[in-house]
Amino acid sequence: MTVRKIASILTVIALMALVGCSSTPKGKELKSTVKFEILEHKGSVLGQETSPAWVEVYLDSGITGLEKLADFEDRYCFVGESSGQNLEAVKAWADNFEVATAIASSVSSRVESTFVGSASGTPEGTYGRYFEEIVKSSAEATYSGARKIDDWWVLARRYDPDDKGKYTDEYRVFILYTIEKDLLDEQVLNMIDAIANDGSATAEQQNAINKVKEILAAEGLK
């Protein structure tokens, strides 16, 4: 991926943010008022012209896109990102990235999505107290087996296309971790069992929880 491609994607992201918070009437075309130019990146010192494919895929289609790549088809992906004015500061952030916290947050969202998708009504009604407890526990748990794959940074200049003298330079860093799907699924299933198998679930609730476990065993986390 060329640095020009990254700059183009960053511009699109800025435009999407503008659309998301705009009250402009439907039908009116919105144009980005900012542009991005990549001044430097992690590979610049080696004369590298392209950035890793995963960076482009992540910026373009998020975690879902990453997990469709052949390299990660049997893994869950987690990406941390930060920005700052100082390169050493963003490098230090990457070196001290709390992957356990990032994974727990992502797993909690995935667990909640899986439960909501399998519920016949509201998840609270279908699963009773177990829904809230399992989602909460999944956010507080520590998951083992994550592996750092790569990190990448870019120095992006955000400028006014009508006046390139008006600009802001900012470093953006991305860090990619993965974990084997089977390994993480097993840890989540064990957590669900630990909460649900206390003998207080009704037959209906236990059937509903078993349905989620079957989905996880067959399809993994959403």
Side-chain angles (χ1 to χ4, degrees):
M1 174 184 60
T2 64
V3 293
R4 180 176 295 181
K5 177 65 173 178
I6 292 182
S8 176
I9 292 175
L10 291 176
T11 299
V12 170
I13 291 173
L15 177 57
M16 290 175 66
L18 175 64
V19 172
C21 65
S22 173
S23 59
T24 303
K26 183 178 180 180
K28 183 176 180 179
E29 182 181 2
L30 291 173
K31 295 183 179 180
S32 176
T33 58
V34 299
K35 297 290 183 182
F36 286 88
E37 177 183 354
I38 302 302
L39 304 179
E40 188 182 4
H41 57 81
K42 184 178 177 180
S44 296
V45 68
L46 300 176
Q48 196 171 329
E49 293 293 333
T50 61
S51 300
W54 70 266
V55 176
E56 177 183 359
V57 172
Y58 173 68
L59 288 172
D60 196 39
S61 52
I63 294 297
T64 301
L66 280 181
E67 292 180 350
K68 290 180 180 178
L69 295 177
D71 288 346
F72 308 129
E73 61 182 356
D74 297 321
R75 293 178 170 271
Y76 293 114
C77 296
F78 307 89
V79 175
E81 58 179 293
S82 185
S83 60
Q85 303 298 315
N86 182 275
L87 177 57
E88 295 308 313
V90 297
K91 284 182 176 180
W93 176 89
D95 290 339
N96 295 285
F97 178 65
E98 293 289 343
V99 64
T101 301
I103 290 178
S105 176
S106 177
V107 169
S108 178
S109 296
R110 289 172 183 255
V111 166
E112 183 172 6
S113 177
T114 302
F115 269 74
V116 170
S118 66
S120 55
T122 61
E124 294 89 344
T126 302
Y127 303 106
R129 67 179 178 82
Y130 298 103
F131 171 75
E132 181 178 348
E133 289 189 20
I134 290 171
V135 172
K136 181 174 182 290
S137 294
S138 65
E140 297 174 347
T142 299
Y143 304 95
S144 61
R147 182 165 65 94
K148 180 181 175 180
I149 302 300
D150 196 12
D151 63 67
W152 196 260
W153 59 263
V154 298
L155 174 58
R157 170 164 293 179
R158 176 176 176 166
Y159 63 90
D160 183 338
D162 296 325
D163 183 0
K164 293 193 69 172
K166 296 179 179 179
Y167 63 85
T168 301
D169 292 345
E170 184 176 68
Y171 289 94
R172 295 188 65 173
V173 60
F174 307 90
I175 183 167
L176 170 63
Y177 277 80
T178 69
I179 185 172
E180 293 180 5
K181 287 184 176 180
D182 289 346
L183 178 59
L184 184 56
D185 290 345
E186 181 181 5
Q187 293 177 66
V188 173
L189 286 169
N190 289 339
M191 178 198 62
I192 292 174
D193 280 338
I195 295 172
N197 293 346
D198 64 357
S200 64
T202 65
E204 183 179 7
Q205 288 172 345
Q206 191 61 58
N207 287 337
I209 292 170
N210 288 340
K211 180 181 177 182
V212 169
K213 291 171 60 180
E214 290 173 2
I215 292 173
L216 285 174
E219 305 174 14
L221 295 166
K222 302 298 183 184

